[in-house]
Amino acid sequence: MLFLPWSNEEKDLIHINHEETFELNKDLIQQKRSEYVHREANEFEKAFEEQTERGNDDDIDDTNIEYDQDKNEFLIYETGNNEGDIFVEMGINTRTEKVEHFNVSKMILDADYQRLMRSLNSNQRKYTLNVMKLIKDGDKQFLHYINGGAGVGKSTLIKAVYQSILRFYNSLPGSNPETIRVAICAPTGKAAALIDGMTLHSFLSLPVNQCKHKLVKLDSDVSNRIGVKLKDLQLLIIDEISMVGFTMFQQVDARLQQIMKSKAPFGGISVIVLGDFNQLRPVGDKYIFQFNNSYNALVDNPLWSLFEWFELTEIMRQKDDKTFAIALSNLAKGMMALEDINLFKSRIISAEKLDVVEDAIRVFRSNAEVDAYNAKVLSSLNTEGATANAYDFCVGDGLASVKEKC
């Protein structure tokens, strides 16, 4: 009725038979509605029906997650199970059995810790102290997003926060150094290795191929055992958040809710995510702050809106060459000034003078150029050559055309 034109509120809107008036003016109301509302009315009805059909399972807010109800899996935590095993997906037999194991980083030496804390800049130090205050108070969940471009010291900040929290908890009377209070994770193995952490897939048993597999609920026994191991978990740190898509983020939330037996976001666990959205984006998924379909925007509260934003701006990696560091940052943002452009142009070297910079990394546009350069370098070496043959082969099911290329 909001879209029905009226001149007298009491006469035209209040003291009337609303159902009859709506039916008489239905076409006009729909016409006016379409002028002001971008979504059709039936979208809201469909969204409401979809939300109702999802229902509640154990009072856990997992409405964004598509579970595979046909499986009662023990996932990667159970011996002998292959769910989420990349080798099995490739058609290769797994060489090792799955066990319940969590990578717990140890405290570094006091001298190394002191050196680490002295290396922090003002913003890094302030944020670390802020997190420590929240941890010590311990009565409120916090969700933080640390934004910053390349070289601003995000990995260093992760290490400083993690080591500071470890020292605090280990100083408490009766504390067990093996207890998992903080977990450090990343979406890929290489990113996790750089911060001495685990992948989100292995820590929470998420599907390796999120586009192919539904999230399988943990068996209650396995969930309980994992819950015992993670019962003291207070903080989850996720690095390279730009590569974590909407779907994976919802799965992290649902898995923590199940393990912690809480319907609070992320099971009540505090979460710090770090990354730069100018860098690598999610594979086969939308950005973490985007909706994966129109209905999510209508009926679900996005997790991303719960996060508080912090930013690191001081470049640490190239701190001895601030001019070049600023130019790189402006290049990433597409906001280069004239002096930045001139700086990059001054670094241009003609093909005839490439040999002057012997140790520089060469980046070519084609394999032919790579082969030509490698052949040139090899021919200039005064050493005995060796040949290594590489053979490609395909495993598992696949298209015949793909196997022929192998």
Side-chain angles (χ1 to χ4, degrees), residues 75-273:
L75 295 173
I76 68 168
Y77 299 103
E78 188 68 9
T79 300
N81 178 66
N82 294 322
E83 180 68 31
D85 192 328
I86 187 64
F87 291 103
V88 173
E89 291 191 18
M90 293 172 61
I92 304 174
N93 290 330
T94 307
R95 294 183 176 85
T96 58
E97 293 185 329
K98 302 292 185 298
V99 295
E100 294 177 23
H101 173 72
F102 296 98
N103 180 28
V104 182
S105 298
K106 306 298 182 182
M107 281 201 314
I108 59 178
L109 298 174
D110 289 343
D112 293 333
Y113 175 70
Q114 293 168 6
R115 189 159 43 249
L116 170 65
M117 298 305 291
R118 285 196 298 268
S119 70
L120 301 180
N121 62 37
S122 176
N123 286 336
Q124 290 172 321
R125 191 175 298 107
K126 286 179 181 177
Y127 180 78
T128 302
L129 293 175
N130 176 45
V131 170
M132 289 308 301
K133 183 179 185 305
L134 293 172
I135 290 292
K136 290 177 180 178
D137 292 343
D139 57 350
K140 184 179 179 182
Q141 180 191 35
F142 60 91
L143 304 172
H144 290 175
Y145 164 49
I146 311 298
N147 176 53
V152 296
K154 296 187 292 293
S155 297
T156 301
L157 180 60
I158 290 175
K159 189 173 183 179
V161 169
Y162 181 78
Q163 290 295 328
S164 297
I165 294 175
L166 277 188
R167 274 169 163 71
F168 166 69
Y169 281 124
N170 288 346
S171 67
L172 299 178
S175 64
N176 180 2
E178 299 300 320
T179 297
I180 301 176
R181 305 276 192 170
V182 188
I184 305 179
C185 295
T188 68
K190 182 168 288 188
L194 289 174
I195 56 175
D196 195 22
M198 299 177 66
T199 64
L200 286 168
H201 301 84
S202 59
F203 184 65
L204 296 174
S205 189
L206 304 181
V208 174
N209 186 346
Q210 62 190 23
C211 304
K212 176 182 176 183
H213 295 298
K214 300 175 183 178
L215 181 65
V216 183
K217 279 199 171 183
L218 295 174
D219 180 273
S220 58
D221 291 338
V222 178
S223 178
N224 290 337
R225 291 205 303 270
I226 298 171
V228 170
K229 288 199 171 188
L230 300 182
K231 64 182 177 64
D232 295 315
L233 182 66
Q234 300 294 320
L235 175 64
L236 172 63
I237 301 175
I238 305 176
D239 194 17
E240 301 296 352
I241 194 63
S242 68
M243 291 190 287
V244 177
F246 178 92
T247 302
M248 186 188 294
F249 206 48
Q250 302 295 325
Q251 291 175 348
V252 170
D253 173 47
R255 185 67 88 218
L256 284 173
Q257 287 186 33
Q258 184 188 10
I259 293 172
M260 298 300 169
K261 298 186 181 343
S262 168
K263 62 180 180 180
F266 302 101
I269 301 300
S270 295
V271 180
I272 298 176
V273 301

